[in-house]
Amino acid sequence: MKIKQKIVLSYLVISLLWVIAGGIGIITTEQVNRNFEQIANQTIPVKNELDILENSINDIVRCTLEYVLLKENSILEPANLSDNVIDNRTDQLAQINRGMIKESREIDKSKHVYLKSIRNYQSLVKSYFPDENNYVEAIQNTSHEVIEKSRQFILASQQQKSRSLIYEQQQEFDRIRKKFDAAIQLATNHEHDELTTRQAKMHSTLQYAVESILGVSLANIILAIILGTLVSFSISKPLQKLQVAAQAIGQGHLGIRANLSTKDELGALARAFDKMAADLQQYIHDLQQEQESRSLLAMALENVGDAIEITDAVGHYIYVNPAFERITGYSQSDVLGQTPAALLRNEQQSTGFYQDMAATVARKNIWHGFYVSKHKDGTLYDQELTLSPIVNEQDQVTHVVAVKRDITDRKRSEVALQKSEERLRLVLQGSNDGFWDWDVATNEVFYSSRWKAMRGFSNDEISSKLQECVDRIHPEDVNLFQQALQAHMERRTDTFSVEYRSRCQDGSYIWILDRGQACWDSAGNCMRMVGSETDITRLKTIEATLREAERRWLNLLDNVQLVVVGIDLVGRVEYVNAFFLELSGYRREEVIGKNWFENFLPQQQQRQTQQYFLDIQAQNLDTYSQNQILTKSGEEKMIAWNNTFLKTPQGEIIGMMSIGADITERQAIERMKDEFISVVSHELRTPLASIQGALSLLMSGLLDLQPDKVNRIIEIASESVDHLVIIISDILELEKLNSDQMRLSKQLCNAAQLMPKVENLIQVNASRVGITVAVTPREIFFAADPDRILQVLTNLLSNAIKFSEPGSTVWLTVELQNAGEDVVFEVKDRGRGIPVDNLDRIFQRFQQVEASDSRQKGGTGLGLAICRSIVEQHGGRIWVESILGKGSSFFFSLPTQIAEDRDQKT
Ligand code: ADP
């Protein structure tokens, strides 16, 4: 907004407010006036009507009184009057009568006025003072009363009532009149009060109007001040900013800006000012830069390592820099006015050389080349020279700028470099490694002859591109190569080193170990990379062989049914194989790193075994040992160890690898075998001793004369022989079963066919001792070796018969259990029963409830052991339930496996 617009707007706002204040004043005054008028209009007619009312009442009263008076006069002194007097009185009376008629008319007139007036008054009061009916009613009532009394008064006088009565009436009439006056007074007073209240209200309205006008005026003044301040502020503030910016720029702070965003003239001024300041700043900046570049140029000329000389059109020196003085030995004062030809020429260069130089420059071309120059002291030195002609607008050579570089050192280092390269070449030729040198910018790679030879190429068969190398890399290794290269080029790795397979000319691959080092420029860009390659195919083959050997070895260790444990010198577990974990119940992480002796050996063996480990370590002996280990569940397992020390290539022991077999079972079996042999030998010895005794008795001849006794002894010997035969055949049978020599020939069996067979087999025996055999066959099919099952059933039934009293019954039943998966046979008797603690034991070899059973009942104690072996070989189970003295039930279950076996059979 423009400033003018701002001021005009402020002026308009203030004026508008003044107009509003004036308006409020006028409206309020108008309101007050109207109220005044209204009150005046309201009260005057009421008052008038009241006056009229009062007058009419007064008229009525007055006329009434006068009428009564006249009447009274007419009736007074009625008798004893002379004729004159009477005539006189008659005239008087006629006069009075006329007067009375007149008064009476007057009264009626007044009444009429009264009635009209009271109506007017009533309506006026109702319209102006709607709440004030009581006064009207009071006035109305009392005035009615006045009229009524006046009527009664007249009536009384007409009826010629006594004077005293008239007088009384008059009294009453006066009283009512007073009441009426009082009512009129009250109404007048009330109206007066009402008027006063209204006036007071008007006063307060007027007061409010005055206060409003004052308030609006005050607000107006404040607003005017604020607006004035704002307008002046909006003008002065930007001006101030402009002033500050102008001062700052004046003091050289060119970056300062007024930065006014207003849209008015000041804003435009400020923007123009800011632009001017920016232009000025840019101009000064450009100027400074030019100055800087000039001084830089001058400095460069003064400090540059190369000699710079400027000659004029005729070849005289006009400028030489300090490097010139240093290189040539001539100072500026020596050369000014001289020509290069006079000072520097020498016989080493031919005249043609100089002529060519001069002709090139004359053709306005740059001449660049090497030549031998002469020092002030007369010595010659190698120089690299560039001559640049400066041509004016008329295409004339006005000056020649010569830049010269002393290349004596460079020549020297070039020679040194040549030597070093020669050395490197010899080294590379001598070494078996390939060599490459990659110029990243041109992507040119130098591949050494050995690099090529390693892949079966001759020198010129390989291009000098990086792709030549990349394309030969095995597809599986390309990514690895690229990543390693990239990482080193981006300086993420210190050296480039990668192993990959490279394809040779004949299509075979060789393994390469490629190592290199990059060079970067100051901006960090990789400029060059140099490296060597070693053929590591043989190493890789060995490595693979070793890895495979290790894999096989570990595979073997993990699959072998032997415990393998590796511990370090302090006994910490470093390796355990799968079999150890399976045997011990531990997880690998629960074992690795733990102390072998403290955690996995029974407490009583820990110290001793650890000491043993230290002893054999000290003696450097590989040994065999046995000790128990503790499984996770606390079970002890006996292991027979083969301990081998692990050694470094230098022979230093670093740990021990022990391979052990779990011999717990074997030991138990051996123990059992020992026990068995001792039991068997005892069992065999008993009948043998009896046979031996019988034979020696017979041989002694003592019984020769007693044939009965001889017979009895022979009988005993024969029984012992029988018993011996049974024992031996049972032992052999059991051994056959346990050693798995006897193969089961399983087939589908039907219990309904098997059970009667058993019954037939056992019947004779049972009948002999008076035992009834009750067999309940059922059609149940199962897979088993029928002969073996017959053997089990016969054995169980024989036992049942053997241990039952004569005359009792033994039962053989069968049923399906476990949802038809098992067939269960039961052999029940009512015999002597078996004590609870013998229920398991009797299934072991040579176990009998009573030691005398063998003798009395003729058993060997092997029958149930054979039964168990047969049932278990069928995958079944055998058990007994018994109550001592009441009888026993022997059960055995076999898996039915009907479906499979039926299939097999068909
Ligand atoms: P034995 O040839 O002695 O009978 P077993 O192995 O068949 O050998 O039985 C072992 C022992 O089990 C018997 O000597 C006997 O003490 C007890 N026994 C077996 N069957 C019964 C049974 N039905 N009632 C009571 N005891 C029995």
Side-chain angles (χ1 to χ4, degrees), residues 616-653:
I616 58 170
Q617 191 181 318
Q619 293 163 27
N620 195 353
L621 280 177
D622 290 347
T623 57
Y624 299 95
S625 62
Q626 271 189 19
N627 65 273
Q628 279 164 318
I629 62 165
L630 213 53
T631 67
K632 194 173 179 180
S633 60
E635 209 182 326
E636 291 181 358
K637 297 269 180 191
M638 179 58 86
I639 310 290
W641 297 104
N642 185 344
N643 307 308
T644 311
F645 283 112
L646 302 172
K647 295 173 186 171
T648 61
Q650 290 73 39
E652 191 190 337
I653 296 176

mmCIF file of all heavy atoms in Angstrom, residues 616-653:
data_model
loop_
_atom_site.group_PDB
_atom_site.id
_atom_site.type_symbol
_atom_site.label_atom_id
_atom_site.label_comp_id
_atom_site.label_asym_id
_atom_site.label_seq_id
_atom_site.Cartn_x
_atom_site.Cartn_y
_atom_site.Cartn_z
ATOM 1 N N ILE A 616 51.022 -88.571 30.964
ATOM 2 C CA ILE A 616 51.314 -89.030 29.596
ATOM 3 C C ILE A 616 51.738 -87.862 28.723
ATOM 4 O O ILE A 616 52.520 -88.000 27.791
ATOM 5 C CB ILE A 616 50.136 -89.810 28.947
ATOM 6 C CG1 ILE A 616 48.873 -88.959 28.906
ATOM 7 C CG2 ILE A 616 49.868 -91.107 29.661
ATOM 8 C CD1 ILE A 616 47.770 -89.599 28.060
ATOM 9 N N GLN A 617 51.241 -86.676 29.089
ATOM 10 C CA GLN A 617 51.634 -85.470 28.352
ATOM 11 C C GLN A 617 53.131 -85.201 28.579
ATOM 12 O O GLN A 617 53.873 -84.900 27.646
ATOM 13 C CB GLN A 617 50.793 -84.309 28.873
ATOM 14 C CG GLN A 617 50.884 -83.045 28.045
ATOM 15 C CD GLN A 617 50.032 -81.957 28.688
ATOM 16 O OE1 GLN A 617 48.941 -82.204 29.127
ATOM 17 N NE2 GLN A 617 50.565 -80.768 28.765
ATOM 18 N N ALA A 618 53.539 -85.352 29.855
ATOM 19 C CA ALA A 618 54.941 -85.118 30.193
ATOM 20 C C ALA A 618 55.833 -86.128 29.480
ATOM 21 O O ALA A 618 56.935 -85.814 29.021
ATOM 22 C CB ALA A 618 55.128 -85.217 31.708
ATOM 23 N N GLN A 619 55.313 -87.356 29.351
ATOM 24 C CA GLN A 619 56.140 -88.397 28.713
ATOM 25 C C GLN A 619 55.940 -88.431 27.199
ATOM 26 O O GLN A 619 56.573 -89.227 26.510
ATOM 27 C CB GLN A 619 55.750 -89.767 29.286
ATOM 28 C CG GLN A 619 56.119 -89.908 30.754
ATOM 29 C CD GLN A 619 55.358 -91.064 31.388
ATOM 30 O OE1 GLN A 619 54.973 -92.012 30.705
ATOM 31 N NE2 GLN A 619 55.145 -90.987 32.681
ATOM 32 N N ASN A 620 55.012 -87.621 26.729
ATOM 33 C CA ASN A 620 54.717 -87.547 25.293
ATOM 34 C C ASN A 620 54.372 -88.936 24.730
ATOM 35 O O ASN A 620 54.925 -89.407 23.759
ATOM 36 C CB ASN A 620 55.930 -86.946 24.557
ATOM 37 C CG ASN A 620 55.548 -86.506 23.159
ATOM 38 O OD1 ASN A 620 54.433 -86.772 22.712
ATOM 39 N ND2 ASN A 620 56.460 -85.845 22.478
ATOM 40 N N LEU A 621 53.441 -89.593 25.446
ATOM 41 C CA LEU A 621 53.104 -90.973 25.078
ATOM 42 C C LEU A 621 51.669 -91.065 24.584
ATOM 43 O O LEU A 621 50.766 -90.512 25.212
ATOM 44 C CB LEU A 621 53.205 -91.870 26.326
ATOM 45 C CG LEU A 621 54.565 -92.334 26.762
ATOM 46 C CD1 LEU A 621 54.414 -93.126 28.053
ATOM 47 C CD2 LEU A 621 55.179 -93.222 25.689
ATOM 48 N N ASP A 622 51.468 -91.738 23.471
ATOM 49 C CA ASP A 622 50.111 -92.048 23.076
ATOM 50 C C ASP A 622 49.720 -93.321 23.810
ATOM 51 O O ASP A 622 50.497 -94.274 23.829
ATOM 52 C CB ASP A 622 50.019 -92.278 21.560
ATOM 53 C CG ASP A 622 50.219 -90.979 20.817
ATOM 54 O OD1 ASP A 622 50.169 -89.928 21.474
ATOM 55 O OD2 ASP A 622 50.418 -91.030 19.586
ATOM 56 N N THR A 623 48.560 -93.324 24.441
ATOM 57 C CA THR A 623 48.246 -94.457 25.321
ATOM 58 C C THR A 623 46.826 -94.964 25.132
ATOM 59 O O THR A 623 46.008 -94.341 24.478
ATOM 60 C CB THR A 623 48.365 -94.024 26.804
ATOM 61 O OG1 THR A 623 47.483 -92.924 26.946
ATOM 62 C CG2 THR A 623 49.757 -93.684 27.188
ATOM 63 N N TYR A 624 46.609 -96.120 25.784
ATOM 64 C CA TYR A 624 45.247 -96.660 25.907
ATOM 65 C C TYR A 624 44.862 -96.526 27.362
ATOM 66 O O TYR A 624 45.680 -96.717 28.249
ATOM 67 C CB TYR A 624 45.212 -98.141 25.509
ATOM 68 C CG TYR A 624 45.627 -98.350 24.071
ATOM 69 C CD1 TYR A 624 46.942 -98.670 23.743
ATOM 70 C CD2 TYR A 624 44.687 -98.208 23.054
ATOM 71 C CE1 TYR A 624 47.327 -98.835 22.434
ATOM 72 C CE2 TYR A 624 45.078 -98.371 21.733
ATOM 73 C CZ TYR A 624 46.389 -98.686 21.431
ATOM 74 O OH TYR A 624 46.753 -98.837 20.146
ATOM 75 N N SER A 625 43.613 -96.173 27.593
ATOM 76 C CA SER A 625 43.173 -96.071 28.985
ATOM 77 C C SER A 625 41.681 -96.360 29.056
ATOM 78 O O SER A 625 40.998 -96.394 28.037
ATOM 79 C CB SER A 625 43.452 -94.672 29.530
ATOM 80 O OG SER A 625 42.724 -93.721 28.788
ATOM 81 N N GLN A 626 41.222 -96.541 30.283
ATOM 82 C CA GLN A 626 39.790 -96.772 30.482
ATOM 83 C C GLN A 626 39.333 -95.908 31.630
ATOM 84 O O GLN A 626 40.003 -95.815 32.657
ATOM 85 C CB GLN A 626 39.541 -98.236 30.865
ATOM 86 C CG GLN A 626 39.335 -99.135 29.690
ATOM 87 C CD GLN A 626 38.875 -100.527 30.119
ATOM 88 O OE1 GLN A 626 38.387 -100.731 31.222
ATOM 89 N NE2 GLN A 626 39.064 -101.489 29.240
ATOM 90 N N ASN A 627 38.246 -95.240 31.437
ATOM 91 C CA ASN A 627 37.638 -94.560 32.570
ATOM 92 C C ASN A 627 36.168 -94.316 32.261
ATOM 93 O O ASN A 627 35.744 -94.419 31.107
ATOM 94 C CB ASN A 627 38.347 -93.238 32.907
ATOM 95 C CG ASN A 627 38.218 -92.209 31.828
ATOM 96 O OD1 ASN A 627 39.026 -92.178 30.902
ATOM 97 N ND2 ASN A 627 37.197 -91.375 31.908
ATOM 98 N N GLN A 628 35.434 -93.988 33.323
ATOM 99 C CA GLN A 628 34.005 -93.780 33.122
ATOM 100 C C GLN A 628 33.742 -92.315 32.789
ATOM 101 O O GLN A 628 34.481 -91.430 33.256
ATOM 102 C CB GLN A 628 33.241 -94.163 34.380
ATOM 103 C CG GLN A 628 33.038 -95.662 34.446
ATOM 104 C CD GLN A 628 32.648 -96.079 35.828
ATOM 105 O OE1 GLN A 628 33.205 -95.582 36.803
ATOM 106 N NE2 GLN A 628 31.723 -97.005 35.915
ATOM 107 N N ILE A 629 32.704 -92.091 32.002
ATOM 108 C CA ILE A 629 32.261 -90.713 31.793
ATOM 109 C C ILE A 629 30.833 -90.597 32.323
ATOM 110 O O ILE A 629 30.143 -91.611 32.473
ATOM 111 C CB ILE A 629 32.312 -90.276 30.311
ATOM 112 C CG1 ILE A 629 31.375 -91.134 29.452
ATOM 113 C CG2 ILE A 629 33.719 -90.287 29.774
ATOM 114 C CD1 ILE A 629 31.103 -90.528 28.086
ATOM 115 N N LEU A 630 30.442 -89.347 32.584
ATOM 116 C CA LEU A 630 29.142 -89.089 33.192
ATOM 117 C C LEU A 630 28.213 -88.507 32.125
ATOM 118 O O LEU A 630 28.552 -87.500 31.505
ATOM 119 C CB LEU A 630 29.352 -88.051 34.303
ATOM 120 C CG LEU A 630 28.471 -88.142 35.534
ATOM 121 C CD1 LEU A 630 28.526 -89.534 36.138
ATOM 122 C CD2 LEU A 630 28.914 -87.089 36.539
ATOM 123 N N THR A 631 27.074 -89.133 31.902
ATOM 124 C CA THR A 631 26.138 -88.570 30.909
ATOM 125 C C THR A 631 25.347 -87.449 31.575
ATOM 126 O O THR A 631 25.421 -87.253 32.785
ATOM 127 C CB THR A 631 25.161 -89.633 30.382
ATOM 128 O OG1 THR A 631 24.325 -90.004 31.466
ATOM 129 C CG2 THR A 631 25.886 -90.833 29.833
ATOM 130 N N LYS A 632 24.562 -86.747 30.762
ATOM 131 C CA LYS A 632 23.794 -85.616 31.282
ATOM 132 C C LYS A 632 22.798 -86.084 32.339
ATOM 133 O O LYS A 632 22.528 -85.393 33.310
ATOM 134 C CB LYS A 632 23.042 -84.941 30.123
ATOM 135 C CG LYS A 632 22.503 -83.577 30.490
ATOM 136 C CD LYS A 632 21.924 -82.894 29.291
ATOM 137 C CE LYS A 632 21.353 -81.541 29.669
ATOM 138 N NZ LYS A 632 20.773 -80.849 28.541
ATOM 139 N N SER A 633 22.288 -87.314 32.149
ATOM 140 C CA SER A 633 21.308 -87.816 33.118
ATOM 141 C C SER A 633 21.980 -88.433 34.340
ATOM 142 O O SER A 633 21.314 -88.965 35.215
ATOM 143 C CB SER A 633 20.432 -88.858 32.424
ATOM 144 O OG SER A 633 21.252 -89.911 31.973
ATOM 145 N N GLY A 634 23.335 -88.369 34.404
ATOM 146 C CA GLY A 634 24.052 -88.855 35.580
ATOM 147 C C GLY A 634 24.453 -90.317 35.466
ATOM 148 O O GLY A 634 25.013 -90.887 36.404
ATOM 149 N N GLU A 635 24.183 -90.941 34.339
ATOM 150 C CA GLU A 635 24.541 -92.350 34.146
ATOM 151 C C GLU A 635 26.048 -92.449 33.887
ATOM 152 O O GLU A 635 26.637 -91.537 33.309
ATOM 153 C CB GLU A 635 23.796 -92.825 32.894
ATOM 154 C CG GLU A 635 23.472 -94.293 32.907
ATOM 155 C CD GLU A 635 22.766 -94.676 31.594
ATOM 156 O OE1 GLU A 635 22.006 -93.817 31.066
ATOM 157 O OE2 GLU A 635 23.014 -95.767 31.104
ATOM 158 N N GLU A 636 26.646 -93.524 34.332
ATOM 159 C CA GLU A 636 28.081 -93.670 34.098
ATOM 160 C C GLU A 636 28.310 -94.653 32.951
ATOM 161 O O GLU A 636 27.659 -95.706 32.889
ATOM 162 C CB GLU A 636 28.773 -94.166 35.364
ATOM 163 C CG GLU A 636 28.757 -93.100 36.447
ATOM 164 C CD GLU A 636 29.447 -93.540 37.717
ATOM 165 O OE1 GLU A 636 29.906 -94.691 37.782
ATOM 166 O OE2 GLU A 636 29.526 -92.703 38.641
ATOM 167 N N LYS A 637 29.207 -94.281 32.051
ATOM 168 C CA LYS A 637 29.494 -95.166 30.917
ATOM 169 C C LYS A 637 30.990 -95.454 30.925
ATOM 170 O O LYS A 637 31.801 -94.534 31.062
ATOM 171 C CB LYS A 637 29.142 -94.477 29.585
ATOM 172 C CG LYS A 637 27.677 -94.155 29.440
ATOM 173 C CD LYS A 637 26.947 -95.289 28.771
ATOM 174 C CE LYS A 637 25.469 -94.980 28.629
ATOM 175 N NZ LYS A 637 24.684 -96.123 28.227
ATOM 176 N N MET A 638 31.320 -96.698 30.748
ATOM 177 C CA MET A 638 32.735 -97.051 30.751
ATOM 178 C C MET A 638 33.255 -96.941 29.311
ATOM 179 O O MET A 638 32.667 -97.518 28.393
ATOM 180 C CB MET A 638 32.901 -98.493 31.270
ATOM 181 C CG MET A 638 34.328 -98.950 31.298
ATOM 182 S SD MET A 638 35.394 -97.890 32.311
ATOM 183 C CE MET A 638 35.166 -98.615 33.916
ATOM 184 N N ILE A 639 34.340 -96.178 29.165
ATOM 185 C CA ILE A 639 34.899 -95.978 27.823
ATOM 186 C C ILE A 639 36.349 -96.476 27.802
ATOM 187 O O ILE A 639 37.118 -96.186 28.720
ATOM 188 C CB ILE A 639 34.892 -94.482 27.425
ATOM 189 C CG1 ILE A 639 33.519 -93.838 27.668
ATOM 190 C CG2 ILE A 639 35.337 -94.281 25.979
ATOM 191 C CD1 ILE A 639 32.410 -94.277 26.741
ATOM 192 N N ALA A 640 36.665 -97.198 26.733
ATOM 193 C CA ALA A 640 38.052 -97.612 26.535
ATOM 194 C C ALA A 640 38.669 -96.667 25.522
ATOM 195 O O ALA A 640 38.211 -96.589 24.385
ATOM 196 C CB ALA A 640 38.086 -99.039 25.996
ATOM 197 N N TRP A 641 39.642 -95.862 25.981
ATOM 198 C CA TRP A 641 40.168 -94.765 25.175
ATOM 199 C C TRP A 641 41.457 -95.144 24.447
ATOM 200 O O TRP A 641 42.267 -95.889 24.976
ATOM 201 C CB TRP A 641 40.504 -93.551 26.039
ATOM 202 C CG TRP A 641 39.341 -92.939 26.744
ATOM 203 C CD1 TRP A 641 39.036 -93.070 28.061
ATOM 204 C CD2 TRP A 641 38.364 -92.084 26.174
ATOM 205 N NE1 TRP A 641 37.922 -92.349 28.369
ATOM 206 C CE2 TRP A 641 37.483 -91.722 27.209
ATOM 207 C CE3 TRP A 641 38.134 -91.592 24.892
ATOM 208 C CZ2 TRP A 641 36.409 -90.906 27.010
ATOM 209 C CZ3 TRP A 641 37.051 -90.764 24.708
ATOM 210 C CH2 TRP A 641 36.201 -90.431 25.752
ATOM 211 N N ASN A 642 41.617 -94.504 23.279
ATOM 212 C CA ASN A 642 42.885 -94.530 22.577
ATOM 213 C C ASN A 642 43.297 -93.065 22.462
ATOM 214 O O ASN A 642 42.658 -92.285 21.765
ATOM 215 C CB ASN A 642 42.644 -95.139 21.184
ATOM 216 C CG ASN A 642 43.932 -95.307 20.440
ATOM 217 O OD1 ASN A 642 44.940 -94.718 20.814
ATOM 218 N ND2 ASN A 642 43.899 -96.094 19.389
ATOM 219 N N ASN A 643 44.313 -92.650 23.223
ATOM 220 C CA ASN A 643 44.655 -91.231 23.317
ATOM 221 C C ASN A 643 45.824 -90.884 22.391
ATOM 222 O O ASN A 643 46.867 -91.538 22.445
ATOM 223 C CB ASN A 643 45.055 -90.874 24.747
ATOM 224 C CG ASN A 643 43.989 -91.325 25.735
ATOM 225 O OD1 ASN A 643 42.812 -91.000 25.574
ATOM 226 N ND2 ASN A 643 44.389 -92.106 26.736
ATOM 227 N N THR A 644 45.630 -89.844 21.589
ATOM 228 C CA THR A 644 46.700 -89.399 20.685
ATOM 229 C C THR A 644 46.924 -87.919 20.901
ATOM 230 O O THR A 644 45.954 -87.151 20.957
ATOM 231 C CB THR A 644 46.291 -89.604 19.214
ATOM 232 O OG1 THR A 644 45.817 -90.920 19.090
ATOM 233 C CG2 THR A 644 47.442 -89.359 18.265
ATOM 234 N N PHE A 645 48.171 -87.492 21.023
ATOM 235 C CA PHE A 645 48.449 -86.062 21.212
ATOM 236 C C PHE A 645 48.417 -85.330 19.891
ATOM 237 O O PHE A 645 48.848 -85.844 18.863
ATOM 238 C CB PHE A 645 49.809 -85.852 21.880
ATOM 239 C CG PHE A 645 49.752 -86.140 23.347
ATOM 240 C CD1 PHE A 645 50.415 -87.227 23.892
ATOM 241 C CD2 PHE A 645 48.996 -85.318 24.178
ATOM 242 C CE1 PHE A 645 50.327 -87.488 25.243
ATOM 243 C CE2 PHE A 645 48.914 -85.580 25.532
ATOM 244 C CZ PHE A 645 49.585 -86.673 26.067
ATOM 245 N N LEU A 646 47.888 -84.112 19.940
ATOM 246 C CA LEU A 646 47.883 -83.244 18.761
ATOM 247 C C LEU A 646 49.107 -82.353 18.875
ATOM 248 O O LEU A 646 49.364 -81.783 19.950
ATOM 249 C CB LEU A 646 46.610 -82.385 18.725
ATOM 250 C CG LEU A 646 45.304 -83.171 18.715
ATOM 251 C CD1 LEU A 646 44.120 -82.229 18.880
ATOM 252 C CD2 LEU A 646 45.167 -83.935 17.396
ATOM 253 N N LYS A 647 49.845 -82.211 17.795
ATOM 254 C CA LYS A 647 51.107 -81.474 17.877
ATOM 255 C C LYS A 647 51.197 -80.453 16.750
ATOM 256 O O LYS A 647 50.577 -80.615 15.688
ATOM 257 C CB LYS A 647 52.280 -82.443 17.746
ATOM 258 C CG LYS A 647 52.353 -83.421 18.892
ATOM 259 C CD LYS A 647 53.421 -84.462 18.656
ATOM 260 C CE LYS A 647 53.366 -85.525 19.744
ATOM 261 N NZ LYS A 647 54.208 -86.647 19.455
ATOM 262 N N THR A 648 51.977 -79.404 17.003
ATOM 263 C CA THR A 648 52.267 -78.421 15.952
ATOM 264 C C THR A 648 53.300 -79.051 15.018
ATOM 265 O O THR A 648 53.908 -80.068 15.375
ATOM 266 C CB THR A 648 52.861 -77.132 16.547
ATOM 267 O OG1 THR A 648 54.082 -77.493 17.193
ATOM 268 C CG2 THR A 648 51.934 -76.466 17.528
ATOM 269 N N PRO A 649 53.516 -78.438 13.824
ATOM 270 C CA PRO A 649 54.542 -78.998 12.936
ATOM 271 C C PRO A 649 55.900 -79.072 13.624
ATOM 272 O O PRO A 649 56.744 -79.884 13.269
ATOM 273 C CB PRO A 649 54.580 -78.009 11.774
ATOM 274 C CG PRO A 649 53.219 -77.397 11.765
ATOM 275 C CD PRO A 649 52.781 -77.353 13.179
ATOM 276 N N GLN A 650 56.087 -78.231 14.657
ATOM 277 C CA GLN A 650 57.377 -78.267 15.364
ATOM 278 C C GLN A 650 57.401 -79.357 16.439
ATOM 279 O O GLN A 650 58.355 -79.467 17.208
ATOM 280 C CB GLN A 650 57.677 -76.925 16.029
ATOM 281 C CG GLN A 650 58.004 -75.798 15.066
ATOM 282 C CD GLN A 650 56.771 -75.305 14.330
ATOM 283 O OE1 GLN A 650 55.698 -75.198 14.896
ATOM 284 N NE2 GLN A 650 56.940 -75.029 13.028
ATOM 285 N N GLY A 651 56.322 -80.087 16.566
ATOM 286 C CA GLY A 651 56.295 -81.188 17.532
ATOM 287 C C GLY A 651 55.822 -80.785 18.909
ATOM 288 O O GLY A 651 55.832 -81.584 19.847
ATOM 289 N N GLU A 652 55.367 -79.566 19.041
ATOM 290 C CA GLU A 652 54.917 -79.093 20.357
ATOM 291 C C GLU A 652 53.483 -79.590 20.597
ATOM 292 O O GLU A 652 52.622 -79.462 19.713
ATOM 293 C CB GLU A 652 54.931 -77.559 20.335
ATOM 294 C CG GLU A 652 54.749 -76.923 21.677
ATOM 295 C CD GLU A 652 54.541 -75.411 21.488
ATOM 296 O OE1 GLU A 652 54.976 -74.888 20.417
ATOM 297 O OE2 GLU A 652 53.961 -74.793 22.357
ATOM 298 N N ILE A 653 53.251 -80.174 21.800
ATOM 299 C CA ILE A 653 51.911 -80.734 22.071
ATOM 300 C C ILE A 653 50.927 -79.580 22.294
ATOM 301 O O ILE A 653 51.188 -78.654 23.074
ATOM 302 C CB ILE A 653 51.944 -81.641 23.318
ATOM 303 C CG1 ILE A 653 52.850 -82.845 23.037
ATOM 304 C CG2 ILE A 653 50.550 -82.091 23.712
ATOM 305 C CD1 ILE A 653 53.048 -83.762 24.212
#
